[in-house]
Amino acid sequence: MKIWTSEHTFDHPWETVAQAAWRKYPNPMVPSVIGADVIDREVVNGVLRTHRLVVSTQWGFPKWTQALIGYANLCYASERSEVDPVNKQMILRTHNVSICSSFKNGLRNRYTFLCIVQLYCTIYERFLDHEVI
């Protein structure tokens, strides 16, 4: 079930926006994320594919959900990315690992160079999916 989508246009080159998204962790503005470890990385037909494990100390769940799904000091998320420098597209897919027995959230971020009139323009799309198990 799709929960929401959003879109934003960055007035910056695709390379700059993709590098910023790739380097989002660790980040002093998000101190709850304490690590992001690369599990696997490969290049297939010129596309860089990476699988990372992201570790967080808090996900901001409401207190009533803790009674249903339990509470863990550390939460884990699996992030898979595909970076296609030729077509100027980067896709990040993230889903929770810690609470996947109760429900499954999937977040997909897509950064694409689509502007024809402007030289520096990157379209950012974000999709959140939710599934109760």
Side-chain angles (χ1 to χ4, degrees):
M1 166 176 57
K2 187 183 291 185
I3 294 179
W4 57 263
T5 63
S6 65
E7 184 176 305
H8 180 76
T9 301
F10 291 101
D11 292 327
H12 299 284
W14 175 85
E15 293 82 2
T16 302
V17 175
Q19 285 178 25
W22 183 254
R23 296 176 180 168
K24 66 184 172 186
Y25 304 124
N27 178 346
M29 300 299 288
V30 187
S32 62
V33 177
I34 58 174
D37 298 317
V38 174
I39 295 172
D40 187 35
R41 180 175 284 158
E42 64 182 344
V43 177
V44 178
N45 297 325
V47 176
L48 174 65
R49 295 182 179 172
T50 303
H51 182 201
R52 299 195 302 179
L53 182 66
V54 179
V55 184
S56 175
T57 57
Q58 55 182 319
W59 281 13
F61 290 116
K63 291 204 182 282
W64 65 267
T65 61
Q66 294 175 14
L68 297 173
I69 62 176
Y71 179 77
N73 290 332
L74 295 178
C75 297
Y76 300 91
S78 171
E79 178 187 82
R80 296 184 182 269
S81 63
E82 294 181 6
V83 180
D84 183 350
V86 174
N87 295 311
K88 294 189 177 184
Q89 178 167 282
M90 177 171 148
I91 298 173
L92 295 171
R93 291 180 180 91
T94 307
H95 73 273
N96 64 313
V97 176
S98 296
I99 54 174
C100 59
S101 62
S102 304
F103 65 91
K104 188 168 145 183
N105 279 340
L107 181 62
R108 183 168 42 112
N109 297 296
R110 181 170 50 203
Y111 302 85
T112 311
F113 178 79
L114 289 176
C115 299
I116 298 171
V117 177
Q118 292 176 275
L119 182 60
Y120 299 125
C121 177
T122 302
I123 305 296
Y124 167 61
E125 298 168 290
R126 188 173 197 177
F127 310 89
L128 178 65
D129 299 316
H130 176 73
E131 177 184 344
V132 176
I133 309 276

